Amino acid sequence: MQFDKNLIEKLKESKSVVFFTGAGISAESGIPTFRGKDGIWNKLKPEELANFDSFLKNPELIWEWYSHRKKIIHESKPNAGHIAIAEAQNIFTEVTVVTQNIDNLHRRAGSKTVYELHGNIERNYCIKCKTFYSEELDFSKGVPKCKCGGLIRPDVVWFGEYLPEDQFDAAEKAARTCDVFFIVGTSAVVYPAASLVFIAKQNGAYLVEVNIEKTEISEIVDLSFYEPSGKILSELMKDIRTSQTT
Ligand code: APR
């Protein structure tokens, strides 16, 4: 694919680049997205599965759901999109990944600076004493319990819950100070995560959207690619590298 010369020049001049990602970047790894044609939320109710009150009412059901998702995630691998973003660390001075995904695939691909706005499925904590558990949990006696007797839950952000402040603050700073802000594989309908797009725009970042279809924020971006992120991001990094050596 031949990329617009201005984009390549713009990127070559850029020091700080942010990749704001959603479920779409992991779709090519076989992890279903939430919305769109085969989205999870078309079949299952988020208010039943991604909500604290439902967890208290029926922790077995919620754990069954997260164990199922964890199995899919463990059987998947970072794809060309995750790998291209990790590769960008060798091209730009500063690369920040801000993800809504809980699948840990950016880190598995080698990205170093990753802010997780919605948590990480590999971590868990006790709802009573907040002790963290990152090892495999024991389900032999039913839903996992903490040594204090409290229920253990996955360290993911459910609807109606606050985002981890340290992660959001760092993400907001990156959005305010970056030269280029990529928006990859997100429908950009979930807030406050999606507000980062507007923060980047207001602070003069060049906005590039990569999605297989138009989204809520397509009107405000500087450039859009409506193709799978694995293809676009890997070809783009290759093009920049080539232009740096010629
Ligand atoms: N390449 C690029 N984009 C893709 C691809 C792909 N291969 N496949 C799908 N997409 C796009 C879809 O067109 C859609 O716009 O990815 C987007 C996925 O959107 P959602 O399913 O809404 O996921 P996301 O935006 O990450 O959801 C935000 O909602 O359910 C909560 O906590 C959950 O973090 C999640 C949040």
Side-chain angles (χ1 to χ4, degrees), residues 57-171:
K57 274 197 223 99
N58 190 347
E60 289 77 13
L61 172 70
I62 306 295
W63 266 119
E64 206 184 303
W65 161 241
Y66 279 93
S67 301
H68 162 70
R69 292 188 64 195
K70 215 175 195 176
K71 188 167 171 299
I72 295 173
I73 288 169
H74 285 175
E75 287 161 2
S76 65
K77 285 201 292 303
N79 63 60
H82 300 105
I83 293 161
I85 290 178
E87 157 81 5
Q89 294 169 138
N90 310 321
I91 297 173
F92 304 102
T93 314
E94 198 186 325
V95 173
T96 306
V97 176
V98 174
T99 190
Q100 298 166 87
N101 302 343
I102 62 173
D103 59 28
N104 216 29
L105 289 182
H106 283 297
R107 281 214 178 87
R108 282 172 58 189
S111 285
K112 302 231 172 15
T113 309
V114 181
Y115 299 119
E116 297 163 321
L117 301 180
H118 296 159
N120 185 316
I121 202 167
E122 303 298 345
R123 289 191 310 260
N124 314 283
Y125 66 91
C126 168
I127 64 171
K128 216 160 122 198
C129 70
K130 310 294 178 215
T131 299
F132 266 87
Y133 292 82
S134 44
E135 69 280 10
E136 274 316 304
L137 297 169
D138 169 16
F139 285 83
S140 60
K141 302 185 197 68
V143 289
K145 289 262 177 59
C146 174
K147 45 191 180 301
C148 80
L151 274 175
I152 295 175
R153 61 165 283 175
D155 181 22
V156 297
V157 178
W158 287 329
F159 288 97
E161 294 189 323
Y162 289 106
L163 275 53
E165 212 173 328
D166 61 331
Q167 301 293 300
F168 189 77
D169 291 352

Side-chain angles (χ1 to χ4, degrees), residues 21-25 27-28 33-36 39 41 46 100-102 118 157 159 184-190 210-215 227-230:
T21 69
I25 194 165
E28 293 156 63
T33 61
F34 297 95
R35 298 165 192 85
W41 298 146
Q100 298 166 87
N101 302 343
I102 62 173
H118 296 159
V157 178
F159 288 97
V184 185
T186 180
S187 55
V189 296
V190 173
V210 181
N211 197 302
I212 53 173
E213 62 188 17
K214 272 191 167 241
T215 69
E227 290 194 63
S229 45

Side-chain angles (χ1 to χ4, degrees), residues 9-59:
E9 282 319 307
K10 175 118 202 123
L11 288 170
K12 277 167 67 179
E13 288 152 20
S14 300
K15 299 240 172 321
S16 167
V17 173
V18 171
F19 293 92
F20 174 55
T21 69
I25 194 165
S26 297
E28 293 156 63
S29 297
I31 300 176
T33 61
F34 297 95
R35 298 165 192 85
K37 192 162 59 48
D38 309 320
I40 293 172
W41 298 146
N42 300 344
K43 305 175 210 99
L44 301 163
K45 295 199 181 67
E47 61 279 8
E48 274 172 23
L49 290 171
N51 161 297
F52 188 62
D53 295 339
S54 312
F55 177 70
L56 290 181
K57 274 197 223 99
N58 190 347

